[in-house]
Amino acid sequence: MSEIERVALPVWLVDDDPDVRASLSQWLELSELAVRTFERGQAALGALQAGESCGVLVSDVKMPGLDGLALLKAVQALEEPPPVVLITGHGDVPMAVEAMRDGAWDFVEKPFAPERLEACVRRALERRRLAQENRRLREALREGGLASQLLGEAPALVALRQQLANLAPTRANVLVLGETGSGKEVVARALHDESGAEGPFVALNCGAIAAELIESELFGHEKGAFTGAVERRIGTLEHASGGTLFLDEVESLPLAAQVKLLRALQEGEITRLGSNTLIQVDLRVVAATKEDLLALAGQGGFREDLYYRLAIAELELPPLRERREDIPRLFTHFCRQAAEVHQRPPREANGELLAALSRHSWPGNLRELRNMATRYILGLALPWETRPGDDEAGEGGSLAAQMEAFEATLLREALSRHGGNIQAVMEALDLPRRTLNQKMQRHGLRREAFLASDGR
């Protein structure tokens, strides 16, 4: 879910007093929350039953017809009820506490400061967003396919899934480009799973094998082919026949092995070391690299003809820092996985943690995020201290990077100092609202993370 969608999740305000509806809706709208008002509880209930989008339902308790308590009871009977915040009079506090036991999210006692209601609503909206995120994850996992293997709604991820769906049924070789930890093997497995191939998925990390052993790994060997070859061994090319061979860190292949691999792919046949027998192979190769192979070829480190054989199609994976809107969903997914693996109870991330996740630069990409989710589930400290190369640039950073880091620091300090009060931050930094919003979005800053704590 994008940042815009989060903000647009509407607040429903139910109150029979038109002046109250007008004043509260105006305050919430000035706080950049979408608001929909209802004069009667029955009208709001009907809209909910019709499936209309509601982020949080705020209702007065004492209203003609369907009052706030009856509305709460009816809402709780829905399949996916939104959080309900009740507005009560002073004498109704014991009743409101009982209502919370029956499922109300919170209550606000009259008279109250608008900031109190806004803070309560924002917490409820965050809870609603997390609940919807969990539901989408469960649906994606039930449906399977690319949506469950490649989670995310960032434009780059949506385009990647479309490319994968187009390429998967073919037998074209694919070169996957991406930083360390960005999910290259996940993409390779998705291509294989969606291809319908009957053969296996075989993975080989070219950078993890000694140069003198790589040809044996690729092509296999006969007993006695070399010292230590005490029995016949099937190579990965032969093993993957009928399926997919994933070559990670393909740039690490020695040039001699590159020549033999190119010939095997061109001819569709291999010879095990120590044998003269030709063996037919039919497979798709998905190669992955974080290097520019053509530039490497220009330096003599990679064969250009092998590059063109491998790169019939190219898929580029965006780093996590370029798809920050997907971080909450991915973190939730990894937390669920970690809870199952380690048999720990699930934990929900609060707004402050999600803001910290969004600010981080993620040099380790998905692998690092998965690690953070596991630490979180295990109750371990998360290393959010400032480090060179993270959000704040080190001394060696460029002027532009240091200016960006300084701007982010000023914004964080102002938001913290004013408890997330946007109007106060605008005045303190002499910024118009639109400019402040743009800068906060660029630096991954969410107002919810700086709201003053007062209540639940």
Side-chain angles (χ1 to χ4, degrees):
M1 182 163 45
S2 71
E3 200 70 30
I4 293 176
E5 286 173 312
R6 286 197 198 101
V7 173
L9 203 61
V11 178
W12 286 15
L13 182 61
V14 187
D15 199 303
D16 61 309
D17 188 326
D19 293 334
V20 171
R21 290 199 309 274
S23 61
L24 290 182
S25 62
Q26 182 180 30
W27 173 267
L28 294 173
E29 286 170 349
L30 287 173
S31 300
E32 298 186 329
L33 293 170
V35 181
R36 181 178 178 183
T37 61
F38 296 86
E39 183 179 358
R40 293 287 184 266
Q42 190 61 53
L45 179 60
L48 280 173
Q49 291 171 333
E52 297 182 35
S53 176
C54 173
V56 56
L57 180 68
V58 179
S59 175
D60 193 14
V61 170
K62 293 185 177 180
M63 297 183 297
L66 190 71
D67 66 16
L69 295 179
L71 177 59
L72 168 67
K73 184 176 180 180
V75 169
Q76 290 302 104
L78 298 175
E79 183 177 354
E80 292 183 10
V84 176
V85 176
L86 297 175
I87 298 177
T88 71
H90 177 69
D92 296 330
V93 171
M95 172 269 297
V97 172
E98 185 66 27
M100 290 180 64
R101 294 196 185 105
D102 294 335
W105 165 256
D106 205 346
F107 70 92
V108 180
E109 181 186 1
K110 300 177 183 175
F112 57 85
E115 293 88 349
R116 166 76 174 93
L117 177 63
E118 181 194 348
C120 178
V121 164
R122 288 191 181 277
R123 288 194 297 269
L125 281 171
E126 183 66 19
R127 176 63 175 269
R128 177 67 161 168
R129 187 192 64 74
L130 287 171
Q132 291 183 337
E133 193 66 54
N134 286 333
R135 175 178 56 80
R136 277 191 291 271
L137 284 169
R138 289 193 297 269
E139 290 174 352
L141 292 172
R142 281 197 301 267
E143 294 170 1
L146 294 175
S148 64
Q149 293 171 296
L150 297 167
L151 295 173
E153 296 304 322
L157 254 291
V158 174
L160 179 62
R161 285 199 295 265
Q162 292 172 344
Q163 291 175 295
L164 280 168
N166 177 52
L167 287 172
T170 74
R171 298 297 293 162
N173 294 333
V174 178
L175 181 64
V176 183
L177 309 171
E179 295 180 3
T180 298
S182 58
K184 296 187 285 294
E185 183 167 352
V186 174
V187 168
R189 285 186 180 274
L191 280 167
H192 174 76
D193 292 344
E194 299 298 313
S195 69
E198 296 182 359
F201 176 87
V202 180
L204 179 66
N205 188 325
C206 303
I209 300 171
E212 60 272 17
L213 298 178
I214 192 68
E215 290 187 26
S216 174
E217 288 286 337
L218 286 170
F219 304 103
H221 61 254
E222 297 291 344
K223 180 179 179 180
F226 51 83
T227 302
V230 296
E231 58 184 5
R232 171 185 288 180
R233 187 183 190 285
I234 303 300
T236 51
L237 283 162
E238 186 177 350
H239 185 199
S241 188
T244 304
L245 174 61
F246 174 57
L247 297 177
D248 198 8
E249 297 186 35
V250 70
E251 73 276 4
S252 301
L253 277 177
L255 289 173
Q258 292 182 33
V259 173
K260 292 186 177 182
L261 175 60
L262 175 62
R263 180 173 179 81
L265 297 180
Q266 288 175 335
E267 305 297 332
E269 58 188 25
I270 63 165
T271 303
R272 296 190 194 119
L273 300 181
S275 171
N276 292 319
T277 303
L278 292 176
I279 300 172
Q280 300 296 314
V281 293
D282 177 23
L283 72 159
R284 162 189 259 171
V285 175
V286 179
T289 181
K290 59 181 181 294
E291 304 290 343
D292 183 337
L293 293 186
L294 275 181
L296 195 59
Q299 300 166 10
F302 199 85
R303 291 188 62 92
E304 187 173 345
D305 45 6
L306 177 58
Y307 164 80
Y308 287 115
R309 174 64 59 174
L310 296 174
I312 302 300
E314 289 190 7
L315 295 175
E316 186 166 357
L317 275 63
L320 190 55
R321 63 182 175 276
E322 293 181 7
R323 43 181 297 214
R324 294 183 186 274
E325 60 266 51
D326 290 337
I327 289 175
R329 182 178 189 180
L330 290 165
F331 188 74
T332 300
H333 174 64
F334 291 148
C335 282
R336 181 179 293 109
Q337 287 184 333
E340 291 176 358
V341 168
H342 298 283
Q343 298 183 337
R344 292 293 183 91
R347 294 180 67 191
E348 289 186 354
N350 56 33
E352 184 177 356
L353 174 56
L354 292 176
L357 293 171
S358 297
R359 290 194 298 267
H360 189 54
S361 58
W362 300 109
N365 291 292
L366 294 174
R367 188 176 297 132
E368 184 183 0
L369 181 63
R370 184 190 295 273
N371 175 273
M372 291 298 104
T374 301
R375 292 175 64 95
Y376 182 65
I377 289 298
L378 294 178
L380 303 176
L382 300 184
W384 296 120
E385 65 272 13
T386 301
R387 296 172 298 179
D390 200 351
D391 292 294
E392 277 72 35
E395 292 183 2
S398 68
L399 176 62
Q402 293 184 61
M403 292 294 289
E404 280 287 293
F406 182 62
E407 180 179 84
T409 299
L410 288 178
L411 287 170
R412 288 193 195 101
E413 289 177 349
L415 285 163
S416 179
R417 187 167 61 252
H418 296 289
N421 186 315
I422 295 297
Q423 185 63 43
V425 174
M426 289 165 52
E427 294 173 359
L429 299 180
D430 193 21
L431 288 175
R433 180 178 292 273
R434 181 179 179 83
T435 301
L436 178 59
N437 289 344
Q438 290 172 340
K439 290 181 181 295
M440 288 175 63
Q441 186 174 13
R442 187 170 74 249
H443 294 296
L445 300 175
R446 296 181 59 210
R447 179 176 179 273
E448 291 91 332
F450 301 92
L451 290 176
S453 176
D454 56 348
R456 283 169 61 93

